[in-house]
Amino acid sequence: MTSAFLHHGGRLTEAARRFGGDPGEWLDLSTGLNPAPWPLATGTTTDWAALPDPDALAALESEAARHFGVAPALVCAVPGSETALRLLAPMLAMPGRALVPAYRTHAEAFAISRPVAFGESPERPEAIVLANPNNPDGLLHTPAAILDWHAGIAAAGGWLVVDEAFVDCHPQASVAPEVGDDGRLVVLRSFGKFFGLAGLRLGFVIAPGALREPLRAALGSWPIHAAALAIGRAAYADGEWIARTRAELPRRAAALDRVLDRHGLAPQGVCPLFRYLAGCDAEALFTRLARARILSRPFANQPDTLRLGVPADPASLDRLDRALARG
Amino acid sequence: MTSAFLHHGGRLTEAARRFGGDPGEWLDLSTGLNPAPWPLATGTTTDWAALPDPDALAALESEAARHFGVAPALVCAVPGSETALRLLAPMLAMPGRALVPAYRTHAEAFAISRPVAFGESPERPEAIVLANPNNPDGLLHTPAAILDWHAGIAAAGGWLVVDEAFVDCHPQASVAPEVGDDGRLVVLRSFGKFFGLAGLRLGFVIAPGALREPLRAALGSWPIHAAALAIGRAAYADGEWIARTRAELPRRAAALDRVLDRHGLAPQGVCPLFRYLAGCDAEALFTRLARARILSRPFANQPDTLRLGVPADPASLDRLDRALARG
C-alpha cells in the first residue's frame, strides 16, 4: 500500500492518481472530520488585506474558552493542534511516550518516544501524550482516570498532554477545566474536526503559563489568519448548531454501525466521527473500497486495522454498503 | 505613547479606542503593506472543509520558487515569515545579532541577541539577521556586499539570515538564488507585504536542507491553510499584476516624497512600500496625525523616528498632506 495513505487521511488527489477517477468523484472516509461542516454564512468575505487584529484574536480565544469551560487566560490559539504539539515537545525537553495505537504525531513530535500503557506511572520525567477519545480506536477514558494518571506523572516530574481533538461530542469527558498554572496538565483542542473545517488550520492549547508563554512567543504576533479568527469565533458561539450536531453525529455513527455489523465487521470506538475495524484484512478491504472510489484509512504497522469516517448522509452510507457487499 | 503602537503597525482598533473615531474611518499608514492588494477574484470560495491538499502545497511552493528564482526543493512555505524566524532561531542554536534599527523580531527571536553593524565579521558562530531592504529605514544593500559578509560569517561557523520581506520591488537585490545546501545562508520571504494580503499569514523560507527539514518537521503535515494555498499560488503566477505593481509602487512613493519634502520631513529609504523619517519629534508628529485619524508607526528606543506607509491613492495622500499642514 502506498505510504501516502498510511501517513494521514485526506489524500484524495493521490487516491485518484493511484486508483483512477477524478478526486471529486471519491467518497472520503479516510478522515475523522465531520462531513457536514458548520455552515459558513454565504456572502461572508474575509478582509485578507489587513494584519489580523489582536482584539479579534482575544475574542476568538475568549469564545473558545467558554466552549471548553476554562478561563480565557489559559487558552492559546494555534495554527493547528498538530503544529502546536510539534512546538510544545521541544519546550517540554523530556522524552515522550505515546499509546499504541495513537495518532502518529504523538510519538513523532518527540526526538525520543516510547510506547506507554494507559495508567502506567513513569519513574522519571516523561511527557505522556494521550488522545481522549483516542484516535484511531475511539476509546474514551473518564476524567477521573486521566486525572489520577496525571497525579502520578506530575509526581515523577513529567507532563501529561491530553489531545482532545475529538472530545467535542463528549464535553463531560474533557479535563480542560482541570488545567491550572500549578499543574503539569496540557490540553490540545482542534477546531476543524467537530466543525468539519480542517482547511482553516485552527487549534487551541490550554496550558499552564510556563508552557503557554513560550508557545505564544514562538508563534509570534499574528499566529492566526484572518478567516480563522472570524469563522472560529462565530462557530463556537453557535450553541444551537453545536447542540444539534452533538445529537446528530451519534445517529449517523449508529447507522454506520448497522451496515458494518451486517458485513461482519465489528466496529469499535465511541467517537461518532469515525469507527475502527480491528482484526480485518485491511489491505484487501482498503483496495476493495478504493476500487469503488471510497478512501478509507489504513495504518502502518497495524495491517489488520482500518478506520472509516462516518458518512454524511444515507446516500454515502448506501454507497459504502454496496461496495462492501461486492465482496 | 501606548506601547501597542511601538510594537507593531496595524493596531487600528487600539488607535480608535485611544484617539476616537471608528476603526473604519482611520487611514492606516502604520504598516509597510501594499494598500492596493492583489485583487482576489470575486466569487472565489475556499474549500475549508477538507484538509489542505499536499499537492496544492507543492504547487504553491513551486510557483513561489519561480518568482524567487530558486529551485522548488529549497522552498518551505510557512504560516508567516515572523513565525518562521521564531522557529528557526532555536534550531540555529547560537546567539543572534541584529542591525540597529531593525524589525524587532530579528532580535526577539533569539534568547540572546546583540546589535551588529553591516559587514562586521563575527569571531564566533553567531546567527546574523539582516533585512534587505531594511525595515524601518528602507536601506538596500547589494547582493555582492551581502554575499561577501556571508562568506565571513560562514567561515566563523555562523549563519546569515536575510529577511527579504520587502524585496519584491527589487528582485535584482535578492540573494535567494545563492542559497544552497552547502552554504550558511537562509532567505525569508513574505507574501503579504507586496501583495497586500497580510491577513493570510503566508511566508517562505529558502534554506539548506539542514534547516529546511527540521523546519518542515516542526510545522507538521498541514502548515498552510486552504485559502493561502490557492491565493498565494494564483498571485505569484500573475506576472502581469506583479510587473504593473513593481512600476506603480515607486510612482506612489515618489508622490509621498514630494509631500514630505514640502513639509520639511526628509524621507529616507528605497523601499516603495514605506518611508522613514529620522530626526523628527516622533511623538508630536504621531499625535498630530492620530488627531486626523491617520495611524503612523513610531518606534521604542528611537523617539526621533517615524515610519509612514505609502498611501494608496491621491485622496489618501491629500489627507496626509492636510494633516501635516495643520501644524
Side-chain angles (χ1 to χ4, degrees):
Chain A
M1 214 174 312
T2 314
S3 73
F5 307 121
L6 296 167
H7 270 61
H8 283 300
R11 303 310 206 215
L12 278 193
T13 307
E14 180 64 27
R17 196 152 45 212
R18 184 94 174 173
F19 294 95
D22 183 86
E25 294 168 38
W26 279 70
L27 172 60
D28 189 4
L29 301 182
S30 70
T31 77
L33 308 175
N34 182 350
W38 182 74
L40 296 164
T42 43
T44 309
T45 52
T46 301
D47 174 15
W48 290 120
L51 282 161
D53 185 338
D55 281 33
L57 177 61
L60 166 67
E61 288 176 345
S62 176
E63 197 62 57
R66 214 183 42 75
H67 178 77
F68 306 149
V70 306
L74 291 168
V75 176
C76 177
V78 294
S81 57
E82 200 228 0
T83 298
L85 182 61
R86 291 181 186 270
L87 292 175
L88 284 169
M91 291 176 191
L92 294 171
M94 51 182 71
R97 301 195 68 180
L99 296 193
V100 179
Y103 182 59
R104 57 183 290 133
T105 301
H106 289 180
E108 271 187 10
F110 294 83
I112 300 167
S113 182
R114 295 187 300 134
V116 71
F118 184 86
E120 182 189 336
S121 275
E123 285 158 16
R124 61 188 74 84
E126 291 178 314
I128 297 183
V129 188
L130 160 76
N132 197 49
N134 193 36
N135 171 18
D137 61 12
L139 200 66
L140 186 74
H141 292 282
T142 66
I146 293 169
L147 295 173
D148 199 47
W149 196 16
H150 167 251
I153 295 164
W159 285 89
L160 177 61
V161 179
V162 185
D163 181 349
E164 297 189 343
F166 289 103
V167 91
D168 294 83
C169 287
H170 304 276
Q172 75 293 346
S174 173
V175 294
E178 307 302 324
V179 174
D181 274 340
D182 48 355
R184 317 267 296 172
L185 178 66
V186 177
V187 170
L188 309 180
R189 299 288 294 239
S190 169
F191 174 76
K193 294 170 182 73
F194 178 74
F195 290 95
L197 297 168
L200 273 185
R201 310 310 303 134
L202 177 61
F204 297 87
V205 172
I206 304 155
L211 283 179
R212 209 176 54 237
E213 294 315 318
L215 181 64
R216 273 198 197 284
L219 292 168
S221 302
W222 304 282
I224 307 297
H225 64 88
L229 291 178
I231 294 171
R233 182 184 179 184
Y236 278 124
D238 191 349
E240 199 269 322
W241 185 90
I242 292 170
R244 184 154 35 88
T245 302
R246 276 182 180 148
E248 219 162 78
L249 286 172
R251 281 198 290 269
R252 277 187 234 148
L256 172 61
D257 283 344
R258 285 191 292 275
V259 166
L260 295 173
D261 281 333
R262 200 159 61 229
H263 292 283
L265 298 161
Q268 295 179 20
V270 302
C271 177
L273 286 166
F274 58 82
R275 283 297 184 257
Y276 189 62
L277 308 179
C280 64
D281 180 346
E283 176 145 14
L285 195 48
F286 174 88
T287 306
R288 192 198 312 168
L289 293 174
R291 289 204 183 111
R293 311 260 198 272
I294 298 173
L295 189 61
S296 60
R297 177 71 161 88
F299 297 91
N301 308 325
Q302 289 136 255
D304 64 338
T305 68
L306 201 72
R307 194 188 66 193
L308 284 176
V310 174
D313 48 49
S316 303
L317 183 59
D318 185 57
R319 188 169 156 188
L320 174 68
D321 194 5
R322 280 179 287 121
L324 290 171
R326 219 163 288 149
Chain B
M1 213 174 313
T2 313
S3 72
F5 307 121
L6 297 167
H7 270 61
H8 282 301
R11 301 311 205 217
L12 278 192
T13 308
E14 180 64 25
R17 195 151 48 212
R18 183 96 175 173
F19 294 94
D22 183 86
E25 293 168 39
W26 280 69
L27 172 60
D28 188 4
L29 301 183
S30 70
T31 75
L33 308 175
N34 182 353
W38 182 74
L40 296 163
T42 42
T44 308
T45 52
T46 301
D47 175 14
W48 289 120
L51 282 161
D53 185 338
D55 281 35
L57 177 62
L60 166 67
E61 289 177 343
S62 175
E63 197 63 56
R66 214 183 42 77
H67 178 77
F68 306 149
V70 307
L74 291 168
V75 175
C76 176
V78 293
S81 57
E82 200 226 0
T83 299
L85 182 61
R86 290 180 187 270
L87 292 175
L88 284 170
M91 291 175 192
L92 294 171
M94 52 182 72
R97 301 195 69 179
L99 296 193
V100 179
Y103 182 59
R104 56 184 290 134
T105 302
H106 290 181
E108 272 188 11
F110 293 83
I112 300 167
S113 181
R114 297 186 298 134
V116 71
F118 184 86
E120 182 189 336
S121 273
E123 285 157 16
R124 60 188 74 83
E126 290 177 314
I128 297 183
V129 188
L130 160 77
N132 198 49
N134 193 35
N135 171 19
D137 62 11
L139 201 66
L140 186 74
H141 291 282
T142 65
I146 294 170
L147 295 173
D148 199 45
W149 197 16
H150 167 253
I153 295 163
W159 284 89
L160 178 61
V161 180
V162 185
D163 180 350
E164 296 188 342
F166 289 103
V167 89
D168 295 84
C169 287
H170 304 277
Q172 75 293 347
S174 172
V175 294
E178 306 302 323
V179 174
D181 273 340
D182 49 356
R184 315 263 302 171
L185 178 66
V186 177
V187 170
L188 309 179
R189 299 290 294 240
S190 168
F191 175 76
K193 293 169 183 76
F194 178 74
F195 290 95
L197 298 169
L200 273 186
R201 311 311 302 135
L202 178 62
F204 297 86
V205 172
I206 304 155
L211 285 178
R212 209 174 57 237
E213 294 315 318
L215 180 66
R216 273 197 197 284
L219 292 168
S221 301
W222 304 282
I224 308 296
H225 63 87
L229 291 178
I231 294 171
R233 181 184 179 185
Y236 279 124
D238 191 349
E240 198 272 320
W241 185 91
I242 292 169
R244 183 153 37 85
T245 302
R246 276 181 181 149
E248 219 163 79
L249 286 171
R251 281 198 290 269
R252 278 187 232 148
L256 172 62
D257 283 345
R258 285 190 293 274
V259 166
L260 295 173
D261 280 333
R262 199 158 62 227
H263 292 282
L265 299 159
Q268 296 179 17
V270 302
C271 177
L273 287 166
F274 57 83
R275 282 299 184 255
Y276 188 60
L277 307 179
C280 63
D281 181 345
E283 177 146 15
L285 196 49
F286 175 86
T287 307
R288 190 197 312 169
L289 294 175
R291 289 204 183 111
R293 312 259 198 271
I294 298 172
L295 189 61
S296 60
R297 177 70 162 88
F299 297 92
N301 307 325
Q302 288 136 255
D304 64 338
T305 67
L306 201 73
R307 195 188 64 193
L308 285 177
V310 174
D313 47 50
S316 305
L317 183 60
D318 186 56
R319 188 170 157 187
L320 174 68
D321 194 5
R322 281 179 287 121
L324 290 171
R326 217 163 290 150

